[in-house]
Amino acid sequence: MKNLSAKQIATSNFPYYRYTLGYALDSLQRIGVEAIEFYANDPHFNIDDKTPAEAKSLKKKLADHGLRVINWCPEQVKYPINIASPDPFCRKRSVEYYVKSIQFASEVECRSCQFFAGWNMLDRDFETTWKYSIDSLSYLADVAAGYGLTISIEAADPLVTVLHDTSYIKRMLKDVGAPNLKGMIDIYCLGICGETIETALANLDNDVAHCHFSDACYEGDNAPYHSIPGTGSVDLDHILEKLDEAGYEGYLSLELMQPYETCPEEAMQKAVDWMRKKLG
């Protein structure tokens, strides 16, 4: 690799959601990668249940384990969060949830948050929902700018976001027009969205703020799911080659979850070992 290096590997607490925060932090410390993406979910850190004082406590716990948060990702798919909801009360509550996420990210000295752009009900007008998303993201980008944070948005299944592929991200970035609102790439979601890495990089003009990195299994038991690199159906060598050629400078954040909830450390260690072998 000419540009990518092992320094860009980031672990995460994604697969540890059936374990306590203490166990997750101890485990990630054992794996020995300083950079992590923090998945703010229950039982580790549910945004709605926490206070700034508890965020300060989290910062110390992370530091005590030699961990540094490079991206803050609140739970936003399983929880009732939709910043593009036609219900003004739901929309307001969802935006406030993200504002708290920005504040908590700042408390732990993280400069990046990853948010979903909201989702459309299948029997409602898409363009109306799109406008709600623009309004919400514009406000959130303005708040984040005050904290010196960047917000990244990803394309995924149409059931969870209005960003059905990276061409929708391109449109959203143009419509919002905020310099601190950026696009990201999720390797698993490329397959869900029917995209190639070449298409995604072209749509984002090689300006990619963040990357969720994993292999993917789209068929068989437990499918679809994010799988340990080297165990799925994605040509990850090709993905890394194209990211390297594009001069990607962000983190490759290991996003694993099901079916690894009973063996998160083993799964994360295997993923890190694969990444280190590829990136040196």
Coordinates of all heavy atoms in Angstrom, one line a residue, residues 242-278:
K242 N -8.4 0.3 -4.0 CA -9.1 1.5 -4.5 C -9.1 2.7 -3.4 O -8.9 3.9 -3.8 CB -10.5 1.2 -4.9 CG -10.6 0.3 -6.1 CD -9.9 0.9 -7.3 CE -9.8 0.0 -8.5 NZ -9.0 0.6 -9.6
L243 N -9.2 2.3 -2.2 CA -9.1 3.4 -1.1 C -7.7 3.9 -1.1 O -7.5 5.1 -0.9 CB -9.5 2.8 0.2 CG -11.0 2.5 0.5 CD1 -11.2 1.7 1.8 CD2 -11.8 3.7 0.5
D244 N -6.7 3.1 -1.3 CA -5.3 3.5 -1.3 C -5.1 4.4 -2.5 O -4.5 5.5 -2.3 CB -4.4 2.3 -1.4 CG -3.0 2.6 -1.2 OD1 -2.6 3.2 -0.2 OD2 -2.2 2.4 -2.2
E245 N -5.6 4.1 -3.6 CA -5.4 4.9 -4.8 C -6.1 6.3 -4.7 O -5.6 7.3 -5.2 CB -6.0 4.2 -6.1 CG -5.2 3.0 -6.5 CD -5.8 2.3 -7.7 OE1 -6.9 2.7 -8.1 OE2 -5.3 1.2 -8.1
A246 N -7.2 6.3 -3.9 CA -8.0 7.5 -3.7 C -7.3 8.4 -2.7 O -7.8 9.5 -2.5 CB -9.4 7.2 -3.3
G247 N -6.3 7.9 -2.0 CA -5.6 8.7 -1.0 C -6.4 8.8 0.3 O -6.3 9.9 1.0
Y248 N -7.2 7.8 0.6 CA -8.1 7.9 1.8 C -7.2 8.0 3.0 O -6.3 7.2 3.3 CB -9.0 6.7 1.9 CG -9.8 6.6 3.1 CD1 -10.8 7.6 3.3 CD2 -9.6 5.6 4.1 CE1 -11.6 7.5 4.5 CE2 -10.4 5.6 5.2 CZ -11.4 6.5 5.4 OH -12.1 6.5 6.6
E249 N -7.5 9.1 3.8 CA -6.7 9.4 5.0 C -7.4 9.1 6.3 O -6.9 9.3 7.4 CB -6.3 10.8 5.0 CG -5.4 11.2 3.8 CD -5.0 12.6 3.8 OE1 -5.6 13.4 4.5 OE2 -4.0 12.9 3.0
G250 N -8.7 8.7 6.2 CA -9.5 8.5 7.5 C -9.2 7.1 8.1 O -8.3 6.4 7.7
Y251 N -10.1 6.8 9.0 CA -9.9 5.5 9.7 C -10.7 4.4 9.0 O -11.8 4.6 8.4 CB -10.4 5.6 11.2 CG -9.3 6.3 12.0 CD1 -9.4 7.7 12.2 CD2 -8.3 5.6 12.6 CE1 -8.4 8.4 13.0 CE2 -7.3 6.3 13.4 CZ -7.4 7.6 13.5 OH -6.5 8.3 14.3
L252 N -10.2 3.2 9.2 CA -11.0 2.0 8.7 C -11.5 1.3 10.0 O -10.8 0.6 10.7 CB -10.0 1.0 8.0 CG -9.4 1.6 6.7 CD1 -8.2 0.7 6.3 CD2 -10.4 1.8 5.6
S253 N -12.7 1.7 10.3 CA -13.3 1.3 11.6 C -14.0 0.0 11.5 O -14.9 -0.2 10.7 CB -14.4 2.4 12.0 OG -15.0 2.1 13.2
L254 N -13.6 -1.0 12.3 CA -14.1 -2.3 12.2 C -15.5 -2.4 12.8 O -15.7 -2.4 14.0 CB -13.1 -3.3 12.9 CG -11.8 -3.5 12.2 CD1 -10.7 -4.1 13.1 CD2 -12.0 -4.3 10.9
E255 N -16.5 -2.6 12.0 CA -17.9 -2.7 12.4 C -18.3 -4.2 12.3 O -18.6 -4.7 11.3 CB -18.8 -1.8 11.5 CG -20.2 -1.8 12.0 CD -21.1 -1.0 11.1 OE1 -20.8 -0.8 9.9 OE2 -22.2 -0.6 11.6
L256 N -18.3 -4.8 13.5 CA -18.8 -6.2 13.6 C -19.9 -6.1 14.7 O -19.9 -5.4 15.6 CB -17.7 -7.1 14.1 CG -16.4 -7.1 13.3 CD1 -15.3 -7.9 14.0 CD2 -16.7 -7.7 11.9
M257 N -20.9 -7.0 14.5 CA -22.0 -7.1 15.5 C -22.4 -8.5 15.5 O -21.7 -9.4 15.9 CB -23.1 -6.1 15.2 CG -24.0 -5.8 16.5 SD -25.1 -4.4 16.2 CE -24.0 -3.0 16.2
Q258 N -23.7 -8.8 15.1 CA -24.2 -10.1 15.0 C -23.4 -10.8 13.9 O -23.1 -10.1 12.9 CB -25.7 -10.2 14.7 CG -26.5 -9.6 15.8 CD -26.9 -8.2 15.5 OE1 -26.2 -7.5 14.7 NE2 -27.9 -7.6 16.2
P259 N -23.0 -12.1 14.0 CA -23.3 -13.0 15.1 C -22.2 -13.2 16.1 O -21.9 -14.3 16.6 CB -23.5 -14.3 14.3 CG -22.5 -14.2 13.2 CD -22.4 -12.8 12.8
Y260 N -21.5 -12.1 16.4 CA -20.3 -12.2 17.2 C -20.6 -11.7 18.7 O -19.6 -11.5 19.4 CB -19.2 -11.4 16.6 CG -18.9 -11.7 15.2 CD1 -19.1 -10.9 14.1 CD2 -18.4 -13.0 14.9 CE1 -18.8 -11.2 12.8 CE2 -18.1 -13.4 13.6 CZ -18.3 -12.5 12.5 OH -18.1 -12.8 11.2
E261 N -21.8 -11.5 19.0 CA -22.1 -11.0 20.4 C -21.7 -11.9 21.5 O -21.5 -11.4 22.6 CB -23.6 -10.6 20.5 CG -24.5 -11.7 20.3 CD -25.0 -11.8 18.8 OE1 -24.2 -12.1 17.9 OE2 -26.2 -11.4 18.6
T262 N -21.5 -13.2 21.2 CA -21.0 -14.1 22.3 C -19.5 -14.2 22.3 O -19.0 -14.8 23.3 CB -21.7 -15.5 22.2 OG1 -21.3 -16.0 20.9 CG2 -23.2 -15.3 22.3
C263 N -18.8 -13.7 21.3 CA -17.4 -13.9 21.2 C -16.8 -12.6 20.6 O -16.0 -12.7 19.7 CB -17.0 -15.1 20.4 SG -17.7 -15.1 18.7
P264 N -17.1 -11.4 21.2 CA -16.6 -10.2 20.6 C -15.1 -10.0 20.5 O -14.6 -9.5 19.6 CB -17.3 -9.1 21.5 CG -17.5 -9.8 22.8 CD -17.9 -11.2 22.4
E265 N -14.4 -10.4 21.6 CA -13.0 -10.2 21.6 C -12.3 -11.1 20.6 O -11.4 -10.6 19.8 CB -12.4 -10.5 23.0 CG -10.9 -10.2 23.0 CD -10.3 -10.2 24.4 OE1 -11.1 -10.0 25.4 OE2 -9.1 -10.3 24.5
E266 N -12.7 -12.3 20.5 CA -12.1 -13.2 19.5 C -12.4 -12.7 18.1 O -11.5 -12.7 17.2 CB -12.8 -14.6 19.6 CG -12.3 -15.6 18.6 CD -13.0 -16.9 18.6 OE1 -13.9 -17.1 19.5 OE2 -12.8 -17.8 17.8
A267 N -13.6 -12.2 17.8 CA -13.9 -11.6 16.5 C -13.1 -10.4 16.2 O -12.5 -10.2 15.1 CB -15.4 -11.3 16.4
M268 N -13.0 -9.5 17.1 CA -12.3 -8.2 16.9 C -10.8 -8.5 16.8 O -10.1 -7.9 15.9 CB -12.6 -7.2 18.1 CG -12.1 -5.8 17.8 SD -12.8 -5.0 16.4 CE -14.5 -4.8 17.0
Q269 N -10.3 -9.4 17.5 CA -8.8 -9.7 17.4 C -8.5 -10.3 16.0 O -7.5 -9.9 15.4 CB -8.4 -10.8 18.5 CG -6.9 -11.1 18.5 CD -6.1 -9.9 19.0 OE1 -6.2 -9.5 20.1 NE2 -5.3 -9.3 18.0
K270 N -9.4 -11.2 15.5 CA -9.2 -11.8 14.2 C -9.3 -10.7 13.1 O -8.5 -10.7 12.2 CB -10.2 -12.8 13.9 CG -10.0 -14.1 14.7 CD -11.1 -15.2 14.3 CE -10.8 -16.5 15.1 NZ -11.9 -17.5 14.8
A271 N -10.2 -9.7 13.3 CA -10.3 -8.7 12.3 C -9.1 -7.8 12.3 O -8.6 -7.4 11.3 CB -11.6 -7.8 12.7
V272 N -8.6 -7.4 13.5 CA -7.4 -6.6 13.6 C -6.2 -7.3 13.0 O -5.4 -6.7 12.3 CB -7.1 -6.2 15.1 CG1 -5.7 -5.6 15.3 CG2 -8.2 -5.2 15.6
D273 N -6.0 -8.6 13.3 CA -4.9 -9.4 12.8 C -4.9 -9.4 11.3 O -3.9 -9.2 10.6 CB -5.0 -10.8 13.3 CG -4.7 -10.9 14.8 OD1 -4.1 -9.9 15.4 OD2 -4.9 -12.0 15.4
W274 N -6.1 -9.5 10.7 CA -6.2 -9.5 9.2 C -5.8 -8.1 8.7 O -5.1 -8.1 7.7 CB -7.7 -9.8 8.8 CG -7.9 -10.0 7.3 CD1 -7.9 -11.2 6.7 CD2 -8.1 -9.0 6.4 NE1 -8.1 -11.0 5.3 CE2 -8.3 -9.6 5.1 CE3 -8.3 -7.6 6.4 CZ2 -8.5 -8.9 3.9 CZ3 -8.5 -6.9 5.3 CH2 -8.6 -7.5 4.0
M275 N -6.3 -7.1 9.3 CA -6.0 -5.7 8.9 C -4.5 -5.4 9.0 O -3.9 -4.8 8.1 CB -6.8 -4.7 9.7 CG -8.3 -4.8 9.6 SD -8.8 -4.2 7.9 CE -8.7 -2.4 8.1
R276 N -3.9 -5.8 10.1 CA -2.4 -5.6 10.3 C -1.6 -6.3 9.2 O -0.6 -5.8 8.7 CB -2.0 -6.0 11.7 CG -2.5 -5.1 12.8 CD -2.2 -5.6 14.2 NE -2.4 -4.6 15.2 CZ -2.6 -4.9 16.5 NH1 -2.6 -6.2 16.9 NH2 -2.7 -4.0 17.4
K277 N -2.1 -7.5 8.9 CA -1.3 -8.3 7.8 C -1.4 -7.6 6.5 O -0.4 -7.6 5.7 CB -1.9 -9.7 7.7 CG -1.2 -10.6 6.8 CD -1.8 -12.0 6.8 CE -1.8 -12.7 8.1 NZ -2.3 -14.1 8.1
K278 N -2.6 -7.0 6.2 CA -2.7 -6.3 4.9 C -2.1 -4.9 4.9 O -1.6 -4.5 3.8 CB -4.2 -6.1 4.6 CG -5.0 -7.4 4.4 CD -4.5 -8.2 3.2 CE -5.3 -9.5 3.0 NZ -4.8 -10.2 1.8

